[in-house]
Amino acid sequence: MSPTEAAEAGEAVRFAVLGPVGCEDGQGRPVRLGGPRHREVVARLLVARRRVVPVDRLVADLWEEPPPGAVGAVRTFVAEVRRAVEPGRRPRAPSRLLATEGPGYVLRPGPGAVDAWRFEAEVARAAALAPAEAAPVLDAALATWRGPAYADFPAAPWASADRARLTELRLHAVERRADALIRSGAAREAVWDLDAHVAEHPWREDGWQLLATALHRSGRQGDALTVLRRARQVLADQLGADPGPGLARLEREVLLQADHPEAVAPVTGDEVWSRAAAAYEGAVPARSPARLEATAGLLRELAVTGAGGLGAARQHRAAAVAAAERTGDAELAARVIGVYDVPAVWSRVDDADAARAVVKAAERVLARLPGDAPETVRARLLASVAVESRGDALAEGAVERAAAPPAREPWRRRAAQAAAEAEAAARRLHDAALLAFALNGTFLQSFSRCGLAARRDAVGAELVELARAHGLVGPEVLGRLIRVQALAGLGDLAGADLQATAVDRLADRYERPLARVFTTWYRALRTTLADPSDPAAAETAYAEAVALLAGCGMPGFATGLPALTRLAPVVRSGALPEPEPFTGADWGPYAPWVRPLLLLGADRPDEAREALRTAPRPPHDHMAEAMWCLLARAAARTGEPRVAARAAAELAPARGRQAGAASGLLAFGPVAGYLAEAGAVGGA
C-alpha cells in the first residue's frame, strides 16, 4: 500500500465510544485494538479531541499506582494500536492518524469518524431544522448509542467529564426529539419514549412536561393530569421541590380544558393553522390575485424557518413572480416581488439563475408601473434589485481577468444605484420596514472594494437601532450579524462577541435557526484569531461549523468552505499547499483563485503562471479580500507582475487587517504580509 493509500485508509477508520470502545475500518469491518489497556489508550486520546496527551499524563490516567516500566508499556500499547488502525503504513513512515508529537501522542480521526462527534454534530444540525425535519435527524443520532459512553471504563476519572457531558446531551436530544414530534403533529409517537424517559430520569421537569403535553395533544386529558400529579409527587419525594412554572401552567391548562372544553381555544398552533387555512380556502376564490399576494407573504415567513423552508421558499418564489407577471397587473407584480424582504447576510446568491430572473422581472415591472403608483411599491422593487444583484449574480458576460486593469461593469452600477434610490425613498417616507429592506441592499452593495468593514458596521448599527425601535426581529438579527462580520474584520473581537451572543438569544427566542450557522462560524474564526498557537482548538471549532453546512440550505454560502478551512492554516504559515491533503477537495466557486497555489504546491510553476494569467478577478463579495491574498501570494511566487500589481492595489485599503476576517468565517493572516509579497514583484 502506498503512503497515500495508507493515509486514506487511516482517515477512513471510525471509532465508537457511545457504548463499549470499538473501531472499524473503511469497509465497516471490526479492527482489533488489543486488550483493555489498548482500548483505554484509544479512548483517552479520543477524549482529548485531537490534542496531544503527554506520556506521563497517559501513565497517570491508566494506573492509580503506575508499575515499573509503565512508560514503556504505554509506548508499546500505542505502537500496537497504530499497527491495527494503519495496517498498510510502511515501517518508519510517519503516522497521520495516531501521531507522536512533542512529549506525547495525538489521535486525529476525521470530524465524522467518531460516533460521539457525529452525534454532537447531528444534534446541533437538528437545532437548525423545522420540527418535522428535526425529528428523524435526532432519531438517527440517538440510534448511534449502544450503551453508556465509554462503557468499558465506568470508573475512570479521565472519562467522567466527557461521559457526563455526552449523557446530558443524549437526554437533551431525547427531549428535543419528543418536542419536534409534538410540534409537527405527531404527539402520539412521542408518548412511549417519554414515558420510559421520565421513569429513568424522574428529576427532569422537561421530560414530565413533554409527556403531559404529548398526552394532552393526543386527546388524553385524564392521562395528562395523572402524569402531572405523578410529577408533582416524584419531585416532592426525590428533590423536596415543587413543580416549576411550566408544569404548573400546563396543569392549569389541562384542568381548564377538562372542565370547560367548549370555552377553550384550540390547544395547538397546528389546529389554529388548519382552521384558518380552511377558512381562507373557502373565502377567497381560486383564481383571485389575492392568493398570489398571500402566497408571497407566506413564502417570506417560510424562508426564515430553517433550511427546508428557505429552499422551498426560493423554489416557489420564482413561480409566484412569474404568475404575477402573467396577470398583466404591474402593481400586483411589484407587490409580489417586493414583499419578499427576507434578510440576506451573505453576498453570494444561492441560485444565480433565480436571482437573475427576479431582477429581470423587477426591471420589467419598474418600466411598466404607472406614474401614480405608490412610492413604497417602487422602492421595494429597487431594494429587491439591490439585494438580488449582490456579488456577480447579474454579470453580463465574463468578468475581466485579475491580470487586467479594473473594467467598467454596468450591472454593478445599476445595482448600487437601485440600493441608493431605495434607501433615499425609505428615508423620505419614514417607513421603518422599507428602510430595513433598503439598508439590506446597501449592505450587499458595499463590497465594491476591500477594506469597507467600517462602512458595513455603520449599516449594521443603524439596522439594529431601527429594528429595536420598531420591533423588527429579522432586521435586528441581520444588523447584528453584519456587525459580527464587520467587527471581526476590524479586530474588535469583544464587540463581535457581544453581537454574536445577542444573535443567539434572538435566534432561540424567535426560532431563527439559520442565524446560529453564522455565529458558529464566527466563533471558529475567533478561536483562530484569539490563540493562533492552538491549532487543535481551531480544528475542533471548524469541525463543528462545517457540520452545520450540510443542512443549512444555503449553497451560495456553504459550497467550498470546508476546503478553505483546511487551506487557511497552510496559507497563514506561508507554505504552499502540498497536493496530497487536498486531493479531491471541493473548492466550489473559489477554485479559480486557489488553483495557482495548488499548482505551485505540486511543483508545476508554468501551469500556475498560466492559471494566474487567465484567472478572473474575485467577485465583489465577502471573500474577495481572501481571494486577492491567494492571488497575491501566487503572483509573488511565480513572478507574475501584472497580477501582483493588481492584487496589491486591491488589498491596499485593507492594510493593517487580518485577511478575510471581515467575512466572519476565516482568516489568512495579516494583509500587510501579502502586500509586501506582491509589492516585491508588482512594483507597488
Side-chain angles (χ1 to χ4, degrees):
M1 182 181 288
S2 71
T4 300
E5 291 168 335
E8 291 173 354
E11 290 169 3
V13 172
R14 295 164 81 88
F15 296 92
V17 299
L18 301 180
V21 174
C23 180
E24 61 182 33
D25 64 17
Q27 283 70 49
R29 296 173 301 208
V31 174
R32 294 182 61 84
L33 295 174
R37 289 298 189 196
H38 297 77
R39 294 197 305 277
E40 190 168 5
V41 166
V42 169
R44 178 61 185 87
L45 292 173
L46 289 172
V47 165
R49 297 256 170 168
R50 302 167 67 89
R51 292 182 175 88
V52 174
V53 181
V55 172
D56 58 358
R57 180 72 262 170
L58 281 170
V59 168
D61 284 340
L62 265 61
W63 290 280
E64 287 186 18
E65 296 183 10
V71 170
V74 166
R75 288 174 176 153
T76 299
F77 297 152
V78 169
E80 290 172 350
V81 168
R82 191 178 278 153
R83 282 196 293 273
V85 298
E86 297 182 274
R89 186 174 58 86
R90 292 177 179 173
R92 292 186 295 281
S95 172
R96 298 172 60 86
L97 182 58
L98 205 176
T100 302
E101 199 165 291
Y105 301 103
V106 58
L107 187 57
R108 291 198 177 101
V114 181
D115 58 357
W117 302 358
R118 292 197 305 276
F119 172 71
E120 294 174 56
E122 288 298 277
V123 172
R125 182 167 76 89
L129 300 176
E133 298 168 321
V137 171
L138 291 167
D139 246 342
L142 288 163
T144 61
W145 284 72
R146 300 164 294 108
Y150 306 100
D152 316 59
F153 313 106
W158 56 262
S160 59
D162 205 40
R163 180 187 294 110
R165 184 182 62 80
L166 288 167
T167 300
E168 176 61 28
L169 186 60
R170 180 185 174 278
L171 297 178
H172 170 78
V174 168
E175 291 166 358
R176 290 313 96 211
R177 172 189 174 273
D179 183 60
L181 288 171
I182 293 167
R183 287 174 179 269
S184 59
R188 287 182 177 84
E189 296 179 32
V191 170
W192 189 88
D193 282 343
L194 282 170
D195 204 19
H197 178 66
V198 298
E200 189 176 354
H201 308 284
W203 60 88
R204 294 183 70 88
E205 285 197 39
D206 283 355
W208 289 108
Q209 186 169 344
L210 285 164
L211 176 57
T213 301
L215 290 165
H216 186 35
R217 298 281 178 89
S218 302
R220 298 166 59 183
Q221 279 78 20
D223 290 338
L225 282 171
T226 299
V227 163
L228 288 165
R229 287 163 184 160
R230 196 167 102 227
R232 181 185 294 276
Q233 186 65 47
V234 168
L235 292 170
D237 290 347
Q238 296 198 12
L239 299 179
D242 291 327
L247 276 173
R249 183 171 57 251
L250 179 58
E251 187 171 11
R252 288 195 299 271
E253 290 175 3
V254 176
L255 282 168
L256 181 61
Q257 173 74 20
D259 293 343
H260 305 286
E262 72 288 345
V264 180
V267 294
T268 70
D270 291 340
E271 291 178 22
V272 176
W273 175 276
S274 299
R275 294 180 186 185
Y280 187 90
E281 183 75 20
V284 181
R287 295 183 179 275
S288 169
R291 290 201 174 201
L292 273 175
E293 287 196 66
T295 299
L298 177 62
L299 293 177
R300 174 182 60 185
E301 300 304 318
L302 180 64
V304 298
T305 61
L310 178 60
R314 192 162 52 236
Q315 174 187 352
H316 297 306
R317 185 193 182 199
V321 169
E325 264 207 286
R326 284 196 298 271
T327 67
D329 184 338
E331 285 195 48
L332 170 65
R335 292 194 298 272
V336 168
I337 295 170
V339 75
Y340 194 84
D341 54 0
V342 176
V345 73
W346 192 245
S347 51
R348 181 182 289 274
V349 297
D350 294 313
D351 185 334
D353 290 337
R356 192 174 296 110
V358 169
V359 170
K360 295 303 181 186
E363 290 174 339
R364 289 191 297 269
V365 171
L366 275 167
R368 291 173 44 230
L369 273 180
D372 60 351
E375 189 175 8
T376 183
V377 171
R378 188 180 303 275
R380 280 188 166 272
L381 278 176
L382 290 166
S384 298
V385 169
V387 168
E388 299 294 346
S389 300
R390 56 195 186 268
D392 284 344
L394 270 292
E396 296 165 349
V399 300
E400 85 271 15
R401 293 180 177 179
R408 297 182 59 180
E409 297 169 323
W411 72 88
R412 286 186 50 231
R413 291 202 307 276
R414 291 199 299 271
Q417 183 178 351
E421 291 181 13
E423 184 181 338
R427 295 189 189 281
R428 283 195 304 273
L429 294 166
H430 304 287
D431 184 330
L434 174 58
L435 180 56
F437 189 18
L439 286 172
N440 198 169
T442 299
F443 158 67
L444 291 169
Q445 294 304 317
S446 67
F447 293 87
S448 56
R449 63 174 176 82
C450 300
L452 293 178
R455 181 186 299 179
R456 292 194 286 276
D457 186 48
V459 173
E462 182 176 2
L463 266 170
V464 172
E465 183 179 1
L466 178 74
R468 290 183 62 79
H470 296 275
L472 305 173
V473 176
E476 183 178 356
V477 173
L478 171 65
R480 292 191 184 279
L481 284 174
I482 290 171
R483 297 207 71 195
V484 168
Q485 297 168 350
L487 290 169
L490 295 169
D492 183 358
L493 297 184
D497 287 347
L498 291 174
Q499 298 300 324
T501 300
V503 168
D504 287 344
R505 283 200 303 267
L506 289 167
D508 289 342
R509 183 175 180 183
Y510 295 104
E511 296 188 68
R512 302 296 175 102
L514 294 179
R516 277 195 177 272
V517 175
F518 292 95
T519 56
T520 301
W521 273 87
Y522 160 69
R523 290 189 176 99
L525 166 65
R526 194 201 193 291
T527 302
T528 300
L529 295 176
D531 188 2
S533 66
D534 189 359
E539 197 169 350
T540 299
Y542 274 116
E544 181 184 352
V546 168
L548 298 180
L549 296 182
C552 75
M554 298 181 287
F557 170 74
T559 309
L561 273 185
L564 284 184
T565 64
R566 291 162 51 208
L567 179 67
V570 178
V571 174
R572 285 196 300 270
S573 74
L576 291 172
E578 296 180 6
E580 190 175 301
F582 297 101
T583 301
D586 178 8
W587 298 103
Y590 308 110
W593 307 290
V594 174
R595 188 165 181 266
L597 276 184
L598 294 176
L599 290 168
L600 283 171
D603 197 23
R604 294 154 65 184
D606 292 339
E607 293 175 65
R609 195 171 293 108
E610 181 60 25
L612 268 177
R613 290 169 178 165
T614 58
R617 60 117 179 103
H620 296 282
D621 62 18
H622 278 86
M623 300 301 289
E625 187 180 286
M627 296 304 105
W628 277 116
C629 286
L630 297 184
L631 290 177
R633 173 154 296 160
R637 301 291 173 92
T638 58
E640 174 51 54
R642 289 177 301 171
V643 176
R646 174 84 187 267
E650 296 285 350
L651 290 170
R655 184 188 298 274
R657 305 296 181 200
Q658 281 281 329
S663 67
L665 306 181
L666 48 79
F668 283 172
V671 170
Y674 295 94
L675 283 171
E677 290 182 55
V681 174

